[in-house]
Amino acid sequence: QGKARDSHLGPAKRASCGHVSHKHSICMVSDFFYPNMGGVESHIYQLSQCLMEKGHKVVIATHAYGRRKGVRYLTGGLKVYYLPLQVMYNQSTATSCFHSLPLLRCVFVREAVTVVHAHSSFSAMAHDALFHAKTMGLNTVFTDHSLFGFADMSSVLTNKLLTVSLCDTTHIVCVSYTSKENTVLRAALDPRIVSVIPNAVDPTDFTPDPARAPRGRITVVVISRLVYRKGIDLLGGIIPELCLRHPDLDFLIGGEGPKRIVLEEVREKYQLHDRVRLLGALEHREVRDVLVQGHIFLNTSLTEAFCMAIVEGASCGLQVVSTRVGGIPEVLPDDLILLCDPTVRSLSDGLEAVIGRLRRGAVASPAAVHARVRSLYTWRDVAERTEKVYDRVCVEEVLPLAGRLLRLRDHCGGVAGSIFAFVAVLNFLFLLLLRWLVPDQGMDRALDASGPQALWGPPQRDPPAEEAGEGSQPQRDPWSDGAPTAEGPLV
């Protein structure tokens, strides 16, 4: 079984497992990637670009988005497989273990993948990829970007699935220490196989421009998905109260979601059409242009593992007011953020305090705030720490089928463990059938667009502002005309 399982890996895999300095062939997998917008999508893209800059080969597998199917190439030769998988809810695919195995096996074998890195507990495709990668004998890494509860039925079921998915995953990454504690408890993990690597921002993407902020008025910027867990109901209570107290206060809100109706009702009820602007969904390249129009960035989230949005706001020089939930207190120093309880009263008081500082001129300049944030979080640092995780996992043994079955039974309980052990056996037998029908050796190897054998040059990231000079421009959006693209069938 061991020989059959590892037959497709070849010399590159054996070399990578024997020498930690070897460049890895990495497949990032998640339901959430561009053109969908969000923190997970940005994290995967930026991390992939920096890993390619360090000489690693990186490909991304996600589900098809409308007409965006097949293979696409993004900036620097980043290859993305948009697989024809059925979306079930909120951009997450239906769990289709036996449907996804032929597609993901094709990607893993054609790209000679040595490490499968899955992202987000909400992504069924990520869990499928972990399951298949272990069956194929590949090393696995999982990054958890969210926090979950323990009491409601939805959390209980999700946590049980996470326990099954992570019990034999080689290594887990969390974006904050709060997130690590939450994941370790939910999935009953050994803390020694869980690392903390925070998110980051590209400082050239989020630079301050004080001239864009209106003079004589104060603007509060909110950029968020308009959903319950982002605290939009709190925002709906804050807006009329503060607009009544401060005639020179405006709100600029970017984002889309089912809770938009709450803000529209507040704007209509209190006749605030000229002071509350709803911009709708924003593309990534538009976020910075919205942020620099404000003075205060407000985050009303009810739960967050890290919250990249407050880092982006601070990087643009805004004063940050946020709820004190999840991993947010770990993100910024106390002098760059004002933390409040997740209530309308506490957030209103926090905004009042910052508005008072702005009127007195008792706040740091946007350039000084940007300089602080630029030194705190960089994607190159995140990539370097992630690279160490890959070096660690590539020398660890992947459990054979018998070991996986024992681990599932022992770690997940008698009932759930037995069910998923049976699924693992079926998955392995299906893999053997696929290898008999289409042997690994008979599958065409894809040409490398990144990594040591790349046909394209290494991606060139914009230098930091202090190196590029005053005329430097933000990094281009990955979907701009400068990003070569191609579309074709997955073969």
Side-chain angles (χ1 to χ4, degrees), residues 26-310:
I26 305 145
C27 182
M28 304 279 186
V29 185
S30 180
D31 281 310
F32 312 114
F33 192 64
Y34 298 143
N36 196 53
M37 301 304 300
V40 176
E41 294 84 344
S42 177
H43 179 104
I44 295 173
Y45 174 78
Q46 297 286 1
L47 176 59
S48 298
Q49 290 290 339
C50 286
L51 288 170
M52 290 194 302
E53 187 182 60
K54 295 173 73 68
H56 301 285
K57 175 182 176 180
V58 183
V59 299
I60 296 173
T62 187
H63 66 75
Y65 281 87
R67 294 171 54 193
R68 191 175 297 276
K69 302 174 182 177
V71 180
R72 296 282 182 122
Y73 289 88
L74 305 187
T75 304
L78 178 59
K79 184 187 292 187
V80 185
Y81 286 85
Y82 289 94
L83 305 180
L85 296 171
Q86 183 63 44
V87 174
M88 180 176 62
Y89 172 74
N90 198 24
Q91 293 302 335
S92 183
T93 54
T95 301
S96 53
C97 214
F98 300 106
H99 179 204
S100 58
L101 177 56
L103 296 172
L104 290 171
R105 171 182 173 252
C106 180
V107 175
F108 297 160
V109 174
R110 293 186 76 242
E111 301 292 345
V113 170
T114 58
V115 178
V116 175
H117 190 163
H119 292 261
S120 181
S121 298
F122 292 104
S123 172
M125 186 176 178
H127 295 295
D128 284 355
L130 290 177
F131 203 75
H132 301 324
K134 297 165 196 172
T135 303
M136 297 175 64
L138 299 174
N139 290 298
T140 52
V141 177
F142 177 77
T143 296
D144 197 356
H145 296 264
S146 305
L147 299 177
F148 277 85
F150 298 88
D152 59 286
M153 183 57 67
S154 174
S155 296
V156 170
L157 294 175
T158 303
N159 294 343
K160 176 56 71 173
L161 174 62
L162 194 70
T163 302
V164 172
S165 185
L166 300 187
C167 71
D168 51 353
T169 298
T170 315
H171 202 84
I172 294 92
V173 175
C174 295
V175 295
S176 67
Y177 286 97
T178 300
S179 175
K180 175 180 177 178
E181 181 180 4
N182 181 261
T183 302
V184 167
L185 291 174
R186 286 161 50 209
L189 296 171
D190 181 352
R192 292 173 294 182
I193 66 167
V194 184
S195 300
V196 175
I197 303 177
N199 285 319
V201 297
D202 189 330
T204 61
D205 275 356
F206 297 94
T207 53
D209 187 0
R212 297 282 301 278
R215 298 184 181 277
R217 301 191 67 81
I218 296 176
T219 302
V220 178
V221 178
V222 179
I223 297 181
S224 167
R225 290 194 299 274
L226 304 185
V227 296
Y228 170 76
R229 76 180 191 90
K230 294 297 184 179
I232 304 305
D233 295 290
L234 294 176
L235 180 60
I238 293 167
I239 290 173
E241 185 173 328
L242 287 179
C243 285
L244 181 63
R245 297 182 197 171
H246 302 278
D248 60 345
L249 184 68
D250 298 325
F251 283 83
L252 190 59
I253 303 171
E256 194 59 77
K259 285 290 183 178
R260 179 187 175 108
I261 187 65
V262 173
L263 303 180
E264 291 178 341
E265 288 175 350
V266 168
R267 187 172 63 172
E268 184 71 30
K269 179 178 180 180
Y270 294 95
Q271 296 298 301
L272 297 173
H273 296 82
D274 58 335
R275 299 176 62 186
V276 179
R277 292 174 56 197
L278 300 177
L279 304 178
L282 299 174
E283 295 188 17
H284 186 261
R285 62 174 177 266
E286 299 173 321
V287 172
R288 183 256 179 188
D289 292 335
V290 173
L291 287 172
V292 296
Q293 297 178 47
H295 304 87
I296 302 171
F297 183 83
L298 174 63
N299 172 59
T300 58
S301 293
L302 302 179
T303 175
E304 287 284 358
F306 183 85
C307 193
M308 290 178 65
I310 63 174

Side-chain angles (χ1 to χ4, degrees), residues 246-415:
H246 302 278
D248 60 345
L249 184 68
D250 298 325
F251 283 83
L252 190 59
I253 303 171
E256 194 59 77
K259 285 290 183 178
R260 179 187 175 108
I261 187 65
V262 173
L263 303 180
E264 291 178 341
E265 288 175 350
V266 168
R267 187 172 63 172
E268 184 71 30
K269 179 178 180 180
Y270 294 95
Q271 296 298 301
L272 297 173
H273 296 82
D274 58 335
R275 299 176 62 186
V276 179
R277 292 174 56 197
L278 300 177
L279 304 178
L282 299 174
E283 295 188 17
H284 186 261
R285 62 174 177 266
E286 299 173 321
V287 172
R288 183 256 179 188
D289 292 335
V290 173
L291 287 172
V292 296
Q293 297 178 47
H295 304 87
I296 302 171
F297 183 83
L298 174 63
N299 172 59
T300 58
S301 293
L302 302 179
T303 175
E304 287 284 358
F306 183 85
C307 193
M308 290 178 65
I310 63 174
V311 182
E312 294 168 353
S315 183
C316 287
L318 277 66
Q319 304 298 305
V320 179
V321 177
S322 175
T323 48
R324 187 188 291 106
V325 296
I328 290 178
E330 305 174 29
V331 176
L332 292 173
D334 292 341
D335 59 328
L336 295 183
I337 186 171
L338 181 61
L339 296 172
C340 308
D341 294 330
T343 64
V344 171
R345 172 56 53 201
S346 180
L347 286 165
S348 297
D349 292 344
L351 285 169
E352 289 274 11
V354 175
I355 291 170
R357 293 180 202 165
L358 286 169
R359 296 192 194 283
R360 298 191 303 271
V363 295
S365 68
V369 175
H370 173 77
R372 290 280 306 282
V373 176
R374 185 177 60 205
S375 64
L376 290 174
Y377 299 108
T378 66
W379 284 111
R380 287 186 175 92
D381 178 60
V382 172
E384 182 177 349
R385 296 166 72 172
T386 305
E387 183 182 41
K388 293 178 180 178
V389 171
Y390 295 154
D391 291 340
R392 172 178 171 178
V393 302
C394 78
V395 298
E396 295 186 13
E397 179 185 4
V398 179
L399 287 176
L401 179 62
R404 287 186 65 200
L405 300 182
L406 290 175
R407 180 72 63 84
L408 287 167
R409 288 289 304 276
D410 294 341
H411 195 79
C412 304
V415 177

Side-chain angles (χ1 to χ4, degrees), residues 449-465:
S450 61
Q453 307 299 324
L455 298 180
W456 297 5
Q460 299 296 321
R461 294 174 64 82
D462 293 334

